[in-house]
């Protein structure tokens, strides 16, 4: 039977880094679910769809295909046959992902994709609602968090390494806004599963 590890937590807590290490050591498949929401956010922005209008976002899912491929053990996200992995890490797309992830139709759209991956192979999956909604029966659940300041500093360094200009204050504000959006949305809000191990990664 496949073994599932669910890692949840706020943006910038180090979920992806931890998940990649665990997956490599256990030879599991790493699934970055946030990249899927980023891909949808990017698609909406590129088509000039108003992400503040839930009905328009839901309608924008028509004809959209989102899938995952693995190239040299790295996850790539494919939207309508196009690899968008290198275009979904900007602050603008990050905020768009947070916004569209609050739309119930978007969450339903991606839920089966995520669950199907875990049915066929052992996975380490990170996100906001993996242990609470996507894989509620995961064999191991971890809730990884850190202070907003620590997370903002790490995100700023990531952006600078990619040549994306920003400031600590701007990144911190974006982080706090995304935390609020993720934890207050009606559909599958960010929260710690009751049976998850809590880790402060500050």
């Amino acid at each position: 039977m496949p073994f599932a590890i669910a890692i949840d937590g706020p943006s910038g807590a180090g979920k992806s880094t931890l998940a990649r290490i665990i997956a490599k050591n256990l030879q599991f498949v790493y699934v970055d679910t946030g990249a899927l929401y980023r891909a949808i956010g990017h698609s909406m922005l590129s088509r000039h769809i108003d992400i503040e209008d839930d009905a328009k976002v839901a309608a924008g899912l028509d004809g959209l295909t989102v899938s995952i491929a693995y190239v040299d053990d790295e996850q790539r996200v494919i939207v309508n046959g196009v690899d968008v992995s290198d275009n979904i890490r900007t602050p603008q797309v990050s905020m768009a992902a947070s916004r569209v992830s609050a739309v119930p139709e978007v969450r339903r759209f991606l839920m089966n994709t995520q669950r199907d991956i875990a049915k066929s192979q052992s996975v380490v999956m990170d996100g906001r609602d993996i242990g609470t909604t996507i894989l509620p029966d995961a064999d191991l659940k971890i809730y990884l968090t850190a202070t907003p300041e620590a997370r903002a500093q790490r995100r700023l360094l990531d952006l600078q390494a990619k040549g994306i200009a920003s400031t600590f204050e701007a990144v911190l504000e974006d982080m706090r806004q995304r935390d609020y959006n993720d934890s207050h949305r009606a559909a599958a809000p960010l929260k710690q599963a009751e049976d998850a191990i809590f880790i402060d990664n500050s």
Side-chain angles (χ1 to χ4, degrees), residues 149-164 166-168 171 175:
E149 292 76 14
R151 293 185 283 122
Q153 184 60 42
R154 292 172 191 163
R155 182 56 53 82
L156 179 62
L157 292 174
D158 286 344
L159 293 173
Q160 290 173 341
K162 296 173 182 174
I164 301 173
S166 191
T167 65
F168 174 78
V171 176
M175 194 75 69

Side-chain angles (χ1 to χ4, degrees), residues 34-49:
L36 299 174
Y37 289 98
R38 286 173 177 272
I40 289 183
H42 176 267
S43 175
M44 299 295 167
L45 291 176
S46 65
R47 289 180 289 154
H48 307 290
I49 293 174

